[in-house]
Coordinates of all heavy atoms in Angstrom, one line a residue:
E79 N -27.4 16.1 -13.9 CA -28.1 14.8 -14.3 C -28.8 14.9 -15.5 O -28.8 14.1 -16.4 CB -29.1 14.4 -13.1 CG -28.5 14.4 -11.8 CD -27.2 13.5 -11.6 OE1 -27.1 12.5 -12.4 OE2 -26.4 13.8 -10.7
A80 N -29.5 16.1 -15.7 CA -30.3 16.3 -17.0 C -29.4 16.3 -18.2 O -29.9 15.9 -19.3 CB -31.1 17.6 -16.9
M81 N -28.1 16.7 -18.0 CA -27.2 16.8 -19.2 C -26.3 15.5 -19.2 O -25.2 15.6 -19.8 CB -26.4 18.0 -19.1 CG -27.3 19.3 -19.3 SD -26.4 20.7 -19.0 CE -27.7 21.8 -19.7
S82 N -26.8 14.4 -18.6 CA -26.0 13.3 -18.6 C -26.7 12.2 -19.5 O -27.6 11.6 -19.1 CB -25.9 12.7 -17.2 OG -25.3 11.5 -17.1
P83 N -26.1 12.1 -20.7 CA -26.6 11.2 -21.8 C -26.6 9.7 -21.3 O -27.3 8.9 -21.6 CB -25.9 11.5 -23.0 CG -24.5 12.0 -22.5 CD -24.9 12.7 -21.3
V84 N -25.4 9.3 -20.7 CA -25.2 8.0 -20.2 C -24.6 8.2 -18.7 O -24.0 9.2 -18.4 CB -24.2 7.2 -21.0 CG1 -24.8 6.9 -22.4 CG2 -22.8 8.0 -21.2
P85 N -24.7 7.2 -17.9 CA -24.1 7.3 -16.6 C -22.7 7.8 -16.7 O -21.9 7.4 -17.7 CB -24.2 6.0 -16.0 CG -25.3 5.3 -16.7 CD -25.2 5.8 -18.0
N86 N -22.2 8.6 -15.7 CA -20.8 9.1 -15.6 C -20.4 10.1 -16.6 O -19.2 10.5 -16.5 CB -19.7 7.9 -15.7 CG -20.0 6.8 -14.6 OD1 -21.1 6.4 -14.4 ND2 -18.9 6.5 -13.9
I87 N -21.3 10.5 -17.5 CA -20.9 11.6 -18.5 C -21.8 12.8 -18.3 O -23.1 12.6 -18.1 CB -21.0 11.1 -19.9 CG1 -20.0 10.0 -20.3 CG2 -20.8 12.2 -20.9 CD1 -18.6 10.4 -20.6
T88 N -21.2 14.0 -18.2 CA -22.1 15.2 -18.4 C -21.5 15.9 -19.6 O -20.4 16.3 -19.8 CB -21.9 16.2 -17.1 OG1 -22.3 15.4 -16.0 CG2 -22.8 17.4 -17.3
H89 N -22.5 16.1 -20.6 CA -22.0 16.7 -21.8 C -22.8 18.0 -22.0 O -24.0 18.0 -22.4 CB -22.4 15.6 -22.9 CG -21.7 16.1 -24.3 ND1 -22.0 15.4 -25.4 CD2 -21.0 17.2 -24.6 CE1 -21.2 15.9 -26.4 NE2 -20.7 17.1 -26.0
R90 N -22.2 19.1 -21.6 CA -22.9 20.4 -21.6 C -22.4 21.3 -22.7 O -23.2 22.1 -23.2 CB -22.6 21.0 -20.2 CG -23.0 22.5 -20.2 CD -22.9 23.1 -18.7 NE -23.7 22.3 -17.8 CZ -23.3 22.1 -16.5 NH1 -22.2 22.5 -16.0 NH2 -24.1 21.4 -15.7
Y91 N -21.2 21.1 -23.1 CA -20.6 22.0 -24.1 C -20.4 21.2 -25.3 O -20.2 20.0 -25.3 CB -19.3 22.6 -23.6 CG -19.3 23.5 -22.4 CD1 -18.9 23.1 -21.1 CD2 -19.9 24.8 -22.6 CE1 -19.0 24.0 -20.0 CE2 -19.9 25.6 -21.5 CZ -19.5 25.3 -20.2 OH -19.5 26.0 -19.2
P92 N -20.3 21.9 -26.5 CA -20.3 21.2 -27.8 C -19.1 20.2 -27.9 O -19.3 19.0 -28.3 CB -20.3 22.3 -28.8 CG -20.0 23.5 -28.1 CD -20.6 23.4 -26.7
D93 N -17.9 20.6 -27.5 CA -16.7 19.9 -27.8 C -16.0 19.3 -26.6 O -14.9 18.8 -26.7 CB -15.7 20.7 -28.6 CG -15.2 21.9 -27.9 OD1 -15.8 22.3 -26.8 OD2 -14.2 22.5 -28.3
R94 N -16.6 19.4 -25.4 CA -16.0 18.7 -24.3 C -17.0 18.2 -23.4 O -18.1 18.5 -23.3 CB -15.0 19.7 -23.6 CG -15.8 21.1 -23.3 CD -14.7 22.2 -23.3 NE -15.2 23.4 -22.8 CZ -16.0 24.3 -23.5 NH1 -16.4 24.0 -24.6 NH2 -16.3 25.4 -22.9
A95 N -16.4 17.1 -22.6 CA -17.3 16.3 -21.8 C -16.6 16.1 -20.5 O -15.4 15.9 -20.3 CB -17.7 15.0 -22.4
L96 N -17.4 16.0 -19.4 CA -17.0 15.7 -18.1 C -17.3 14.2 -17.9 O -18.2 13.6 -18.1 CB -17.9 16.5 -17.1 CG -17.4 16.7 -15.7 CD1 -16.2 17.6 -15.7 CD2 -18.6 17.4 -14.9
F97 N -16.2 13.5 -17.4 CA -16.2 12.0 -17.2 C -16.0 11.8 -15.8 O -14.8 11.9 -15.3 CB -15.2 11.5 -18.2 CG -15.1 10.0 -18.2 CD1 -16.1 9.2 -17.6 CD2 -14.1 9.4 -19.0 CE1 -16.0 7.8 -17.6 CE2 -14.0 7.9 -19.0 CZ -14.9 7.2 -18.4
L98 N -17.0 11.3 -15.1 CA -16.8 10.9 -13.6 C -16.2 9.5 -13.5 O -17.0 8.6 -13.9 CB -18.2 11.0 -12.9 CG -18.9 12.4 -13.0 CD1 -20.2 12.5 -12.1 CD2 -18.0 13.7 -12.8
V99 N -15.0 9.4 -13.0 CA -14.4 8.0 -13.0 C -14.4 7.5 -11.5 O -13.9 6.3 -11.4 CB -13.0 8.1 -13.6 CG1 -13.1 8.4 -15.1 CG2 -12.1 9.2 -12.9
T100 N -14.8 8.2 -10.6 CA -14.8 7.6 -9.2 C -15.7 8.4 -8.4 O -15.8 9.6 -8.6 CB -13.4 7.4 -8.6 OG1 -13.5 7.0 -7.2 CG2 -12.7 8.8 -8.6
S101 N -16.2 7.8 -7.3 CA -17.0 8.6 -6.4 C -16.2 9.1 -5.2 O -16.7 9.9 -4.4 CB -18.2 7.6 -5.8 OG -17.7 6.6 -5.0

Side-chain angles (χ1 to χ4, degrees):
E79 307 305 333
M81 291 176 170
S82 177
V84 295
N86 300 48
I87 294 276
T88 299
H89 194 178
R90 169 173 301 145
Y91 294 107
D93 65 345
R94 49 216 192 276
L96 199 66
F97 182 8
L98 307 186
V99 293
T100 174
S101 63

